[in-house]
Every structure is written in C-alpha cells, then in structure tokens.
Amino acid sequence: MKLGVFAVLFGDQSLEDALDKIAGAGLEAVEIGTGGYPGNSHCNPVELLHDEEKLEAFKQAIDKRNLEISALSCHGNPLHPNQEIAEKHHEDFKNTVLLAERLGVDTVVTFSGCPGESENSRFPVWVTCAWPEDHAEVVDWQWKEKVIPYWKEQNEFLKQHGVRVAIEPHPGFVVYNNETALRLRQDCGDAIGVNFDPSHLFWQNMDPVASIKELAKHDALYHFHAKDTAIDQQNVAGNGVLDTKPYSDELNRSWIFRTIGYGHGEETWKGIVSALQLVGYQGAVSIEHEDSLMSVDEGFQKAVALLKNALIKEKVGEMWWA
C-alpha cells in the first residue's frame, strides 16, 4: 500500500504548490479531483484531453515529484432528476474515464447517484425505511428504471477504455453500504467496485474491518479514503443518527466528520490498515479532510503522522513458526 491524499484538500493552491506539499510530507500517491461536487481546481479533463502540451505538463508535474495518481475523482449524481445536473455530472464522469485512460490511471472514483421517486421528481429521494409500502416501491422503481440501466451502460463504457469505477458508499445515494454496493456490482458488472471510506460507515454502526473483508471476498475493494467520524453519544441517545442539521452545528449534531484519530483512536485505525493488508489490498490509502474543527494543514499533518505509524511497508524476516 502507498500513502496518499485527495488533493482537493489543497484546492485553494496551484497544482504545483499542492504537489510540493504532498511530496514534502513524504507521500507517494495523489488522488485528483476532476469534477462533480469536489470540483476540478487542479485538473480540467476537457482541457487536458484536447491539448497535448497541457496534458504532458500535467503528467510531468506529478512524475518529477515521484508521485503516482491513485485515482481521478468526480463524485457526482448522474442520476439526479434535474437533467441539467445529471448531464453535467455524467459528462464529468465520461471525460474523467477518458482522461484516466490517457494517463494510464486504472481507477475513477464517484458516487452511485440517486434518482427521484418518479419521472416527475425535482430532487433526489433517498429511502431509509421499508414502510409505509410507498418507500419500498420507490426503491424498486429507482433500481429498475434508473440505477441498473445507467450503470450497466457505464460498465461497458469502462471496459472499452480499460478503466474501473470505485463507487463510494455514501448515505444520500442509492449505494450507501456493502449490500447496496455489491448489488450494483452484481447487477451491472465487475468494472464496478468500491471506494471504501470508513467515515460514512461508522455512524451507520458498521464495522469497517468486517466490511473490508466482505468486499475483498468479492474482489470489489478498488480504492480507500482515510477519514474519520466522531459520534456524540449524548445527542445520539436523544435523537438517533439520522441527522439533517448543518455540519457547522457541531455541538448539536449526532455525528461530525473528523481527522483520523479524532473520532476513533489509533488502535481502530491500525485495525483497519491491518485488515487492508490481510486482504491483499495494494492500492493507496488516500487522506481526505472534512474536519470543521481543525484546519486543513493541521488535519493533514496529523493524519499523515498516524497513518505512517500504522502502515507496515513490508514484512521483515520470517515468523518463527514459518
């Protein structure tokens, strides 16, 4: 495994400055935002696909710092009932796949998307319970009419270009846990796998270690985000974990995103890293920062320090019982 970072952390800096900071911290991999919700401050796929000189300069900026691209990421909602949004996010995805092919990058990260409840919807509808029966009907309609047809088509597109997609399970979208991620892969094709982000699993009461092992059994673990979640047990006791208050309302929310180590301790993260190693994961551990209580630079440095301590680069010698 290689330690890396999702470079949108440094979206207010130039590509060169961001890469200098990443290389200077001793990292080996970088994940680049190419559109969707994270934006494309460091990489405009349309521009690079149509300008060979700019494409070569982009590659050289990364290569000369001895970094590799772990993934191109365009987290969006190509199933949005607003067609303008859906088409924009689909174009971002399509161009990101084409750019990945040109760069020799094998993984694109995005969301599954979420449709509305019918052809007349204005906004996405994420269903969280089975009753009244309307909810089950909505889920059935979403998968049959929108999710499966779209991702079957994208699975073929990905295969044509030698790229795979790592869908990030995220509440608010139709893929939000292992079950829904594996359903998408089974129904639509094996060019579809998972970008594993424990922060979205912690507050759903999922065990990241068990989840990693399950995905690995299906060869579905394609990429990994290192981000944590702190759960406020007092607020959970009163209100549960389904929380629509703004992320900025940290005091009253049931949970908030944190820098790794500030939601779950180092032992938890060592267990997660060990699980990745046990299942043979060879990709990047890509640091992501969405901690509203800590600056980007502080969060980045603390995450790097914890993960460097947790990662085992190679097995030293042989065990005495071997």
Side-chain angles (χ1 to χ4, degrees):
M1 287 186 289
K2 294 186 176 181
L3 185 54
V5 65
F6 192 8
V8 296
L9 272 70
F10 309 119
D12 60 343
Q13 302 177 25
S14 69
L15 175 64
E16 297 274 349
D17 288 344
L19 293 176
D20 284 340
K21 182 180 289 288
I22 293 164
L27 273 57
E28 301 170 278
V30 59
E31 178 184 354
I32 304 286
T34 55
Y37 298 118
N40 62 356
S41 58
H42 293 142
C43 172
N44 184 325
V46 174
E47 186 176 79
L48 296 184
L49 286 168
H50 292 88
D51 190 320
E52 195 64 37
E53 287 187 10
K54 289 183 178 180
L55 178 64
E56 187 59 30
F58 177 79
K59 291 195 293 186
Q60 287 299 318
I62 294 166
D63 290 346
K64 74 180 183 181
R65 292 169 174 83
N66 296 315
L67 295 168
E68 68 176 51
I69 301 174
S70 66
L72 300 180
S73 294
C74 56
H75 299 71
N77 186 358
L79 302 177
H80 201 292
N82 181 320
Q83 285 304 300
E84 185 176 345
I85 296 173
E87 289 171 10
K88 174 63 170 65
H89 287 178
H90 171 67
E91 284 299 307
D92 288 342
F93 172 73
K94 182 181 74 173
N95 289 325
T96 298
V97 170
L98 296 176
L99 181 60
E101 180 184 30
R102 291 282 295 277
L103 292 170
V105 174
D106 65 2
T107 304
V108 165
V109 178
T110 190
F111 294 133
S112 62
C114 185
E117 46 74 44
S118 72
E119 296 291 358
N120 300 315
S121 299
R122 294 177 56 212
F123 302 104
V125 174
W126 182 50
V127 177
T128 60
C129 57
W131 189 90
E133 291 86 353
D134 310 39
H135 298 309
E137 291 179 16
V138 168
V139 172
D140 187 60
W141 180 85
Q142 287 177 325
W143 279 83
K144 287 182 177 177
E145 300 299 324
K146 299 296 181 179
V147 179
I148 293 174
Y150 177 82
W151 282 109
K152 271 190 172 180
E153 184 176 339
Q154 303 321 307
N155 185 73
E156 293 307 311
F157 174 67
L158 288 157
K159 286 188 171 182
Q160 290 170 13
H161 295 281
V163 178
R164 62 187 189 174
V165 66
I167 299 291
E168 182 171 333
H170 191 299
F173 299 100
V174 293
V175 169
Y176 57 90
N177 60 9
N178 276 20
E179 183 178 58
T180 50
L182 292 173
R183 178 184 178 183
L184 188 71
R185 179 177 170 85
Q186 179 178 341
D187 288 350
C188 301
D190 60 8
I192 299 169
V194 170
N195 176 59
F196 194 92
D197 185 335
S199 71
H200 304 303
L201 310 186
F202 281 130
W203 69 264
Q204 295 184 80
N205 202 31
M206 294 173 63
D207 180 345
V209 170
S211 297
I212 286 168
K213 290 178 179 179
E214 180 183 13
L215 292 173
K217 289 178 183 177
H218 297 271
D219 297 320
L221 185 60
Y222 287 178
H223 198 253
F224 185 90
H225 274 177
K227 191 175 74 180
D228 209 342
T229 296
I231 298 171
D232 188 314
Q233 295 297 347
Q234 183 177 1
N235 290 341
V236 169
N239 298 312
V241 298
L242 295 178
D243 198 333
T244 60
K245 290 185 288 295
Y247 288 141
S248 59
D249 189 8
E250 298 97 343
L251 186 63
N252 296 304
R253 279 188 57 83
S254 294
W255 56 269
I256 58 173
F257 293 129
R258 293 305 315 267
T259 296
I260 63 170
Y262 283 78
H264 296 77
E266 186 170 351
E267 288 306 308
T268 296
W269 280 94
K270 284 181 177 179
I272 291 171
V273 169
S274 294
L276 292 173
Q277 291 170 317
L278 279 170
V279 302
Y281 176 71
Q282 297 296 314
V285 173
S286 188
I287 295 166
E288 191 178 12
H289 180 90
E290 294 181 24
D291 190 334
S292 58
L293 299 180
M294 193 178 295
S295 71
V296 169
D297 282 340
E298 184 180 3
F300 173 63
Q301 295 298 334
K302 289 182 182 299
V304 169
L306 188 152
L307 287 170
K308 281 185 175 180
N309 192 42
L311 284 168
I312 301 171
K313 295 299 291 183
E314 60 184 350
K315 183 169 66 177
V316 180
E318 293 295 329
M319 298 301 182
W320 65 268
W321 59 81

